[in-house]
Each structure stands twice: as C-alpha cells, then as structure tokens.
Amino acid sequence: MSKLSRRRFIFTAGATAVGTAILHGCATPNNTATSPSPAGSPAASPAASGETPEVTTAKLGFIALTDAAPLIIAKEKGLFAKHGMPDVQVMKQASWAATRDNLELGSAGNGIDGSHILSPMPYLMTLGKITKQPVPMYILARLNTNGQAISISKSHADLKLDLDSSKLKETLTKAKSAGKEMKAAVTFPGGNHDLFMRYWLSAGGIDPNNDISLIVVPPPQMVANMKVGTMDAFCVGEPWNAQIVSKGLGYTALITGEFWKDHPEKAFALRADWVDKNPKAAKALTMAVLEAQQWCNDPANVKEMCEIISGREWLKIDPADILGRMQGNIDFGDGRKIENSPVAMKFWADNASYPYKSHDTWFVTEDIRWGYIPADTDIKALVDKVNREDIWREAAKALNVPADQIPTSTSRGVETFFDGVKFDPENPQAYLDSLKIKKI
C-alpha cells in the first residue's frame, strides 16, 4: 500500500462576492498568437437561442491555486450571468479532500455541484475509490496545461536537483542509515501532483513506495510546512512554488512543462447527476468557463487577472507571486532563470481547454500503475463515461470558436516524457509493461 494517508480536512467554504463587471471582448478577444481570433457573430443570449438554463445557480468549488483563474474570472467578469446563470457561487475549499467530500454531498446536502479539480479525481470518485460510495462525475473542460512544479527545501541546496532525481539517491541512503526519513509532499493520493512526483522519482531509480515517504498536504499549506521542516520536497501548482523562492525557503527543481510539454492539468468537473438533470445549465457553465479561459490567455489581461485572483476572497496573496511565472519568467531560486518559457501555464492556447481523452487515459493508467485503480479496469470505457468532451464541443461552437481551435480528434497522440519514455493512448498496457518501478 502507498504511504499516502487518506486525510479528511475540515471544510471551510467562503461564498464569493457577486461580480458585477461585464467582460468586454471575451467572445472575440485580440487576435494574438496566444489568444483565439475573432470569428463570426457574438454568441446569442441564452433566451434568444432557446437555450435558457434549467436553473440560474450552481455551487462550484476551487482551491487557492493560479489554475483556478477561469472559474474566478468567469464569476468576477459576469460571464456566468451572461450565459443565464447569475446566481453561481464560486466557493473556496480547504483541500482536495474537502473538495471531494463536498462533491459527494452535492449542493442538496450543503456541498457543491462541481469544481476546479485534479483531473484524476473524477475517475477515482466515479469508481468509488475515494468516496463512501461511487459518485459519478463528468469532466467538461481542462482548465489549463503546465504551471506546476517540484520544489526542494533549501536544506538540500547542495544537491542542485533538476529533472534528474537520481541525485537524491545518496542522500536518501544516508538518511535511512541515520534512522531518518525524507518526506515529499503531494496534494492528494492519486492526483496530478502525486503522479508527477512518483514519475519523477521513479525515472531516477527511486521507489516512491519504499525509498521516500510521500505525505499529503493541501496546496495553500505547502509553504508553511516547508518553513517548519515538515517536508524536504513538494509538488504543487502555483503560486506556492514561486513563494518558496521569494521567501528564501527553497528552490524549484523543475517546472512540469519540462517534465511533459503542455501536459494536462486541472479540470472543470460537475456531478453527473447534476449535468443529466440540467444539461442546458451545464453547457452554459462550460461556455462561461471557456470564455474566461480565452480572456485569461490574452497577454494583455494577465496583469489584471493576477490582481483579481490574488484578492482576499480568492488566493489572498501578493500578485507579484503570481505574475512572474504566469508571464513565463521563472526564477528557480538556485541561480537558474528563464524568460518567456514556452511551457508556462496556458488556459486556451494550443488546445489547453479541450479535455483530450488520451490525457485522461494517461491519468487512469498511472493510477493503475500505483494501485489506486484496479489493474483489470476497462480504461476506455471509464474514460468514455467520465470525459464529456462533447459538451465542450457544443459550448465552443455556441461561442463561435473558430474551427481550427476545435480539435478534430479526442486523442493528442503519442506523448513523450522528459526521460524519453513514450505513452501511446491506444496501448496503455504496453506502457505499463515497460515501466520498471510500479506497484502492480
């Protein structure tokens, strides 16, 4: 069994203030290399198109991370209201465990209907692996690509860790012989950061189940825990990696776009029963999120986006801790610096918003690798059940998104990782068979 504990954290939800500003030009943003180009007439109002949502409200969760920006901006810029849902609440969650618990409750049980979420979680919930009973979920959009990192405590500055985790081996051996245990923190068992951390360690010949202790820490608590020495390393989204550097507590070994170029990250997911009951509302929510992603991806809006999401009711952080890495300017904290990184966080460019089934196939396959999901799982059937890229397509077409910005296939094809390993979504078993370190 993995050493990751299944912690339940106390839920602290904060209803957000109603956004009143209306977004200008989001349906037809500036025609730049990183934002969608204008095409056709603006999307019709819900009433005019006969698509009036069944309800005007939904309760959506988010964690204090930069990649929650599309939900926050959709609220602040009035995009949910624009699409006929003026009463949407975007509610802060204390942890991914709290997000899970509140999705299991649903809004009828004083929980939430959907959320900014780790992409594997809807699969684990649908199978009932992290809930009291199966909670069928749908993924309607990918919220972003890239934008995460693995960071290391300043106590290990001499290791100068980067993509090569094998540099840790000697330190791990010495720690064990001294009766000590090195710890690496991730955000949720079987989630994106757990899988990225495990892959990075395994690629360097380190068994994450036996050679190091993996612990679970909510994203907003990573910096405080690093400060008091709870862990030696962590994998999390921004702005917490940037803050480790700005506070002089450690350095970034790698940004995850280096690990896997333009990799999928967070998802926008809703309870399946809510979508099935309110299909027009689900489409309206998706349209609002897609418009927000277009706006966030426009370089002209990045500074304002950082100022908005850093607010007290959202991330509650200095905007400077968000802006640099959002612009692709990475200070690793160990002397390395890069500007205009091509693998900085993306919300819309390069099909970042589209939920490729091939990407979800990797997440499910990795969860099988580490024993979170049974080895005999029908991966394709599960992905087809949870991934609702069809709703994304409907929303994109209703927004008059240009055809060349709507993928023609549900697969992005064979993916290549930093260590040269390839993943063919048409043959996940061959990928599993090729891996030396695994639980199965």
Side-chain angles (χ1 to χ4, degrees), residues 211-265:
D211 298 337
I212 192 169
S213 178
L214 297 188
I215 61 173
V216 175
V217 176
Q221 296 178 24
M222 288 289 189
V223 174
N225 276 272
M226 183 74 90
K227 185 176 182 178
V228 298
T230 302
M231 81 281 278
D232 300 277
F234 63 63
C235 183
V236 72
E238 297 299 346
W240 309 117
N241 298 285
Q243 196 173 85
I244 280 292
V245 174
S246 68
K247 290 181 177 293
L249 298 173
Y251 65 99
T252 292
L254 64 109
I255 56 173
T256 49
E258 297 175 305
F259 165 91
W260 175 10
K261 185 178 184 294
D262 291 341
H263 67 82
E265 242 307 300

Side-chain angles (χ1 to χ4, degrees), residues 146 180 251 401:
N146 305 322
K180 297 179 180 179
Y251 65 99
V401 170

Side-chain angles (χ1 to χ4, degrees), residues 99-136:
T99 301
R100 171 204 60 204
D101 293 347
N102 284 293
L103 282 168
E104 187 169 8
L105 288 171
S107 60
N110 225 13
I112 55 179
D113 303 302
S115 191
H116 153 247
I117 200 167
L118 297 168
S119 287
M121 285 181 68
Y123 291 94
L124 295 165
M125 294 179 68
T126 296
L127 292 172
K129 296 301 176 184
I130 58 173
T131 46
K132 297 183 183 71
Q133 62 276 321
V135 180

Side-chain angles (χ1 to χ4, degrees), residues 238 252 255 324-333 336-341 343-344:
E238 297 299 346
T252 292
I255 56 173
R325 294 198 179 196
M326 269 308 308
Q327 293 176 324
N329 302 324
I330 318 295
D331 179 354
F332 287 80
R336 291 178 296 157
K337 292 183 180 181
I338 57 176
E339 295 186 359
N340 301 314
S341 169
V343 289

Side-chain angles (χ1 to χ4, degrees), residues 278-354:
N278 306 294
K280 294 179 181 178
K283 178 180 174 181
L285 290 175
T286 307
M287 290 174 70
V289 169
L290 265 58
E291 282 204 61
Q293 288 181 279
Q294 294 174 342
W295 187 89
C296 289
N297 213 99
D298 186 338
N301 297 328
V302 170
K303 187 173 185 293
E304 182 185 354
M305 182 200 76
C306 292
E307 291 171 348
I308 290 172
I309 69 173
S310 66
R312 183 177 181 84
E313 70 273 41
W314 305 118
L315 272 61
K316 195 179 178 181
I317 194 171
D318 185 341
D321 283 339
I322 306 174
L323 182 60
R325 294 198 179 196
M326 269 308 308
Q327 293 176 324
N329 302 324
I330 318 295
D331 179 354
F332 287 80
D334 60 358
R336 291 178 296 157
K337 292 183 180 181
I338 57 176
E339 295 186 359
N340 301 314
S341 169
V343 289
M345 187 179 294
K346 299 175 184 178
F347 295 107
W348 184 264
D350 302 318
N351 299 325
S353 171
Y354 178 71

Side-chain angles (χ1 to χ4, degrees), residues 19-29 70 73-83 287-296 298 301 304 308 399:
T20 57
I22 302 300
L23 178 66
H24 285 290
C26 191
T28 57
I73 293 301
K75 178 66 179 177
E76 288 279 359
K77 291 291 185 178
L79 294 174
F80 291 127
K82 173 182 175 180
H83 292 289
M287 290 174 70
V289 169
L290 265 58
E291 282 204 61
Q293 288 181 279
Q294 294 174 342
W295 187 89
C296 289
D298 186 338
N301 297 328
E304 182 185 354
I308 290 172
L399 289 170

